[in-house]
Amino acid sequence: MTQTSSVTPAPFIFDVQAREVRARAGVFHTPHGDIPTPVFAPVGTQATVKAVTPAQLNELGVDLILSNTYHLYLRPGDELVAKLGGLHRFMNWDRPILTDSGGFQVFSLTGIRKIDEDGVTFKSHIDGSMHRFTPEKSIAVQENLGADIIMAFDECAMPHDREYSQRAMVRTHAWAERCLHAKARSDQALFGIVQGGVFPDLRKQSAEFITSLGLPGYAIGGLSVGETKADMHAALEVVDGILPEDKPRYLMGVGTPEDLVNGVLRGIDIFDCVLPTRLARHNAVMTRSMGRLNLVNAVYAEDPQPIDGACTCYTCQHYARGYLRHLIIAKEMLAATLLSIHNIHTLVQLAGDMRQAILEERFCAFAADCLVNSKQGSK
Amino acid sequence: MTQTSSVTPAPFIFDVQAREVRARAGVFHTPHGDIPTPVFAPVGTQATVKAVTPAQLNELGVDLILSNTYHLYLRPGDELVAKLGGLHRFMNWDRPILTDSGGFQVFSLTGIRKIDEDGVTFKSHIDGSMHRFTPEKSIAVQENLGADIIMAFDECAMPHDREYSQRAMVRTHAWAERCLHAKARSDQALFGIVQGGVFPDLRKQSAEFITSLGLPGYAIGGLSVGETKADMHAALEVVDGILPEDKPRYLMGVGTPEDLVNGVLRGIDIFDCVLPTRLARHNAVMTRSMGRLNLVNAVYAEDPQPIDGACTCYTCQHYARGYLRHLIIAKEMLAATLLSIHNIHTLVQLAGDMRQAILEERFCAFAADCLVNSKQGSK
């Protein structure tokens, strides 16, 4: 079993090592090790990054993973996870973990959830049983899970509905304060979440309130939920001036290679997304210079080339597209594993390359190259 | 890509290093490396051991894998595999491979196949298209695939039908001669297959004929297909006296930990079976001292123990039964991977432990212990 008991709680300090325009290279210290930033975190919804072992994640250089409070609360239950040693030991991942608050999933249960000022009552998508999340409950569940970074319970509104965005923002602020009061463990960093939809004045107001709480890190929520890229970038630019320079900034649920570059250009340090593993299960791979390929396409049947000749992942080092397509057509589970490895590598490597470019003061050129390449690739 | 082109063809010599009663410890030399025996080969039906990467197979100490000619002929096609560099390169496994002849699968297609003296006409289980296998075709397909060990095209009869067993045996003999004549590649070892059902006189006759062909190895087919253990053991004992001592002996499609021990006790060197990976996909694990466990059982929900406290596999070193059960209930692919790793390890390790015991002249005691333990475990 993984040893976690002897780890000394770290103070969640964020060391910024280099800056270039708004981009930053830093290190966030956690009880389960340092997270060099910019960083991309693959998602392990149900205490497993789908189809990939922790040993493979280690080989991929993954420094942080995200797991979902809503899913683990329902199944197997946060108390069971606590009984079996907490999430790190349960899933055999002894490096940093971030859990979301459950808010995003609960608010997505349109039609089977009811919001009030105190919290949300909802129906389980698994068995229809009734449950209730409040800020206090979300923190209690996240304390049972034991991630290094935990998130305040927030309400993610439809991004273009101003009235709702404002109401949800006000509630998110009140709930963030309650989360801070409810928090009991000292070995977890509580991050606050900025909401406000696509409305710059609301985003500004939200960033000002949330940063006033003096938390060890801040997230930007309610993006990558249907708004335009321009709206996303505008929201990032508004909050960039308000979020403190010495705290990590986390853009939730993002994204694609281009999104990562655009985020770092606007001061973001941490990203997470289900995209690499979800695409893999739909036979699609992301590349930095050719855009997205779907390997089920018959054109790849006899193709001896790797997915991406420039890629250094296990899959690209060892397998032809023709073989990967065969696995897909034959419905072999190994397809999801090999494609997930490639897709995770693409984003983890991109984050690492951006970090290196910032440290070497050549990030602007690097970012420009990436964005030009990705445009050409998606043509 | 894996380098296979520079490998010098080896002469398929079998060095017997130690014997104890009828058990042997040896090494079979192949173009893709040595196979220490006794050996257990996991099955990669469609050019992948289901849910496990070649890197994981290497970590498990797997020395040989089996792949299925029938399946690869139909999909993706043996010519495509040849075009993409042969099976080793195609599936990224640069250690020894054995392909079966396709016979077993074709004869299992009851109702959609027609046998004549020249071969078998059959309907694809995938798209209903018509195909024909002859001994010559089976060898041509296996030469396209390029395994180190290839098998003669044989007919596996119902083991208790004497008349059919005899007819199938005679046909198997004629076909073995045709396979030998058809074979053109010198870097593949053709193994003959002894048939004859549960009838000692037929088994004897078959072993005598097949060994008269002077092949580099011999298989015992038509077992583990519904006969009793006593019948299986009797068949092994009959052929044991006839098969040459200096050639490897392969018991096809076997099996369980007890079957491996019973096989080695009767002079068998090579085993293959889908059991470890198939059981894993049905949530079951094999152990050496507790029999079989099905981890979906609610009794394991909060169980902090590994599958088998005595096991040194990746899964047992890192995961509680409670976590594995969670993966199963949550329908996570990682369950199949982690359970397959454990099950393959169990049989590969058992084969290795038997080898070590034979080398140290303590195999009889070791085998007795195994058989007593497995009986107690299955109570």
Side-chain angles (χ1 to χ4, degrees):
Chain A
M1 290 287 165
T2 306
Q3 292 299 322
T4 56
S5 53
S6 65
V7 175
T8 314
F12 298 110
I13 283 173
F14 183 57
D15 288 320
V16 179
Q17 301 167 302
R19 296 169 203 274
E20 187 177 337
V21 195
R22 300 305 305 151
R24 309 116 60 84
V27 176
F28 188 57
H29 303 282
T30 86
H32 288 86
D34 290 346
I35 307 171
T37 64
V39 65
F40 174 77
V43 176
T45 301
Q46 305 192 105
T48 158
V49 175
K50 288 186 194 299
V52 182
T53 67
Q56 289 165 334
L57 293 174
N58 269 323
E59 273 171 42
L60 284 164
V62 168
D63 288 311
L64 173 67
I65 62 170
L66 178 144
S67 200
N68 291 112
T69 291
Y70 165 79
H71 290 280
L72 295 177
Y73 159 78
L74 287 180
R75 188 173 61 192
D78 50 294
E79 286 174 11
L80 173 58
V81 173
K83 197 179 270 181
L84 290 176
L87 189 52
H88 291 89
R89 175 167 296 190
F90 184 62
M91 68 180 292
N92 179 36
W93 178 252
D94 60 5
R95 308 238 36 233
I97 302 178
L98 183 157
T99 46
D100 63 4
S101 69
F104 186 80
Q105 275 77 23
V106 168
F107 288 102
S108 305
L109 299 170
T110 320
I112 54 170
R113 49 95 173 140
K114 198 169 173 301
I115 310 164
D116 57 61
E117 288 311 307
D118 183 55
V120 194
T121 302
F122 61 94
K123 239 184 199 171
S124 159
H125 76 284
I126 299 171
D127 63 5
S129 55
M130 296 306 297
H131 299 267
R132 185 165 170 79
F133 266 13
T134 60
E136 291 75 16
K137 178 69 181 176
S138 170
I139 295 299
V141 173
Q142 292 187 78
E143 293 196 335
N144 272 334
L145 297 176
D148 302 271
I149 302 172
I150 64 176
M151 301 302 299
F153 190 63
D154 67 326
E155 181 172 359
C156 175
M158 297 295 96
H160 295 284
D161 181 336
R162 181 173 177 96
E163 196 272 327
Y164 180 21
S165 287
Q166 181 151 27
R167 199 153 26 94
M169 179 194 77
V170 170
R171 198 137 50 192
T172 292
H173 295 174
W175 287 356
E177 285 192 297
R178 283 169 57 187
C179 285
L180 185 55
H181 287 129
K183 184 180 179 306
R185 281 179 68 159
S186 62
D187 59 347
Q188 298 182 298
L190 174 67
F191 278 26
I193 304 177
V194 175
Q195 288 288 355
V198 299
F199 308 100
D201 59 323
L202 296 186
R203 284 283 172 187
K204 181 168 180 291
Q205 194 182 331
S206 186
E208 282 167 352
F209 179 88
I210 294 292
T211 55
S212 76
L213 298 176
L215 297 167
Y218 299 99
I220 300 117
L223 292 175
S224 199
V225 292
E227 79 289 354
T228 65
K229 295 290 179 192
D231 279 339
M232 185 202 283
H233 300 163
L236 295 183
E237 285 159 24
V238 170
V239 302
D240 176 40
I242 302 163
L243 298 178
E245 291 285 337
D246 61 347
K247 297 291 166 67
R249 295 140 174 225
Y250 163 33
L251 178 52
M252 304 180 80
V254 170
T256 66
E258 308 86 279
D259 286 341
L260 261 63
V261 174
N262 277 311
V264 171
L265 276 169
R266 290 164 179 83
I268 299 298
D269 308 296
I270 302 174
F271 303 85
D272 82 281
C273 197
V274 294
L275 196 63
T277 44
R278 183 168 292 168
L279 283 180
R281 295 195 309 283
H282 292 89
N283 315 319
V285 287
M286 26 169 85
T287 70
R288 271 157 78 167
S289 61
M290 296 171 289
R292 223 172 266 180
L293 314 179
N294 196 309
L295 295 179
V296 85
N297 196 315
V299 77
Y300 301 120
E302 305 196 356
D303 192 338
Q305 298 175 85
I307 297 168
D308 181 351
C311 180
T312 58
C313 81
Y314 175 76
T315 304
C316 287
Q317 293 302 300
H318 294 100
Y319 298 96
R321 292 171 180 172
Y323 176 74
L324 299 171
R325 181 175 184 274
H326 160 66
L327 293 182
I328 291 165
I329 298 292
K331 302 197 191 310
E332 284 285 353
M333 281 188 272
L334 193 64
T337 299
L338 294 178
L339 270 53
S340 293
I341 284 174
H342 169 81
N343 285 343
I344 292 170
H345 174 92
T346 299
L347 294 186
V348 167
Q349 184 72 41
L350 175 61
D353 288 353
M354 288 197 284
R355 175 176 161 79
Q356 200 55 36
I358 298 164
L359 291 172
E360 295 170 6
E361 290 184 77
R362 52 177 178 79
F363 177 68
C364 290
F366 177 91
D369 266 2
C370 286
L371 295 176
V372 168
N373 277 336
S374 75
K375 269 212 182 99
Q376 287 175 335
S378 58
K379 265 179 196 165
Chain B
M1 292 290 166
T2 306
Q3 292 298 323
T4 56
S5 52
S6 65
V7 175
T8 314
F12 298 111
I13 282 174
F14 182 57
D15 289 320
V16 178
Q17 301 167 304
R19 294 170 203 273
E20 187 176 338
V21 195
R22 300 304 306 152
R24 310 113 63 81
V27 177
F28 188 59
H29 302 282
T30 85
H32 288 85
D34 291 345
I35 307 171
T37 65
V39 64
F40 174 78
V43 176
T45 300
Q46 305 193 105
T48 158
V49 175
K50 289 187 193 299
V52 181
T53 67
Q56 288 164 334
L57 293 174
N58 269 322
E59 274 171 41
L60 284 165
V62 168
D63 288 311
L64 173 68
I65 63 169
L66 178 144
S67 200
N68 291 113
T69 290
Y70 165 80
H71 289 280
L72 295 177
Y73 159 79
L74 287 180
R75 187 173 61 192
D78 50 296
E79 288 173 10
L80 173 58
V81 173
K83 196 177 269 180
L84 291 177
L87 190 52
H88 291 88
R89 176 169 296 190
F90 185 62
M91 69 181 292
N92 179 36
W93 178 252
D94 61 4
R95 307 238 38 232
I97 302 179
L98 183 157
T99 47
D100 63 5
S101 69
F104 186 81
Q105 275 78 24
V106 167
F107 288 102
S108 307
L109 299 170
T110 321
I112 55 170
R113 49 94 173 141
K114 199 169 170 304
I115 310 165
D116 56 61
E117 288 311 307
D118 182 56
V120 194
T121 303
F122 61 95
K123 238 185 200 171
S124 159
H125 75 284
I126 298 171
D127 62 5
S129 56
M130 295 307 297
H131 300 267
R132 185 165 171 79
F133 266 13
T134 60
E136 292 75 16
K137 179 67 182 177
S138 170
I139 296 298
V141 173
Q142 292 187 77
E143 292 196 337
N144 272 335
L145 297 175
D148 302 271
I149 301 172
I150 64 176
M151 301 303 299
F153 191 62
D154 67 325
E155 181 172 357
C156 175
M158 297 294 97
H160 294 285
D161 181 337
R162 182 175 175 94
E163 197 273 326
Y164 180 22
S165 287
Q166 181 151 27
R167 198 153 27 93
M169 180 194 77
V170 171
R171 196 137 53 194
T172 292
H173 295 175
W175 288 356
E177 285 192 299
R178 284 168 58 187
C179 285
L180 185 55
H181 288 128
K183 184 179 179 307
R185 281 179 68 158
S186 63
D187 59 347
Q188 297 182 299
L190 175 66
F191 278 26
I193 304 177
V194 175
Q195 288 288 354
V198 299
F199 307 101
D201 60 323
L202 297 185
R203 284 283 171 188
K204 181 168 179 289
Q205 194 182 330
S206 186
E208 281 166 354
F209 180 88
I210 294 291
T211 56
S212 76
L213 298 176
L215 298 166
Y218 298 98
I220 299 115
L223 293 176
S224 198
V225 292
E227 79 290 354
T228 64
K229 295 291 179 193
D231 281 338
M232 185 202 284
H233 299 163
L236 295 183
E237 285 159 23
V238 171
V239 302
D240 176 40
I242 301 163
L243 298 178
E245 290 285 338
D246 61 347
K247 298 291 167 64
R249 296 139 174 226
Y250 163 31
L251 177 54
M252 304 181 80
V254 169
T256 65
E258 308 87 280
D259 286 341
L260 262 63
V261 174
N262 277 310
V264 171
L265 276 169
R266 291 164 180 83
I268 299 298
D269 307 297
I270 302 174
F271 303 85
D272 83 281
C273 197
V274 295
L275 195 65
T277 45
R278 183 167 291 166
L279 283 180
R281 296 195 307 286
H282 292 89
N283 315 320
V285 288
M286 27 170 80
T287 70
R288 272 158 76 167
S289 61
M290 294 171 289
R292 221 171 268 181
L293 314 179
N294 196 309
L295 294 178
V296 84
N297 195 316
V299 76
Y300 302 120
E302 304 197 357
D303 192 337
Q305 299 176 84
I307 295 168
D308 181 351
C311 179
T312 58
C313 82
Y314 175 77
T315 304
C316 286
Q317 293 303 300
H318 293 100
Y319 297 96
R321 293 171 180 172
Y323 177 73
L324 299 171
R325 180 174 185 275
H326 161 66
L327 293 181
I328 292 166
I329 298 291
K331 301 197 193 311
E332 283 286 353
M333 283 188 272
L334 193 64
T337 299
L338 294 179
L339 271 51
S340 293
I341 284 174
H342 169 81
N343 285 342
I344 292 171
H345 174 92
T346 299
L347 295 187
V348 167
Q349 184 72 40
L350 174 60
D353 288 353
M354 288 196 284
R355 176 177 160 77
Q356 200 55 38
I358 297 165
L359 291 172
E360 295 170 5
E361 291 182 77
R362 52 177 178 76
F363 176 68
C364 290
F366 178 91
D369 265 1
C370 285
L371 296 175
V372 168
N373 276 337
S374 74
K375 272 215 181 96
Q376 288 176 335
S378 57
K379 266 177 196 165

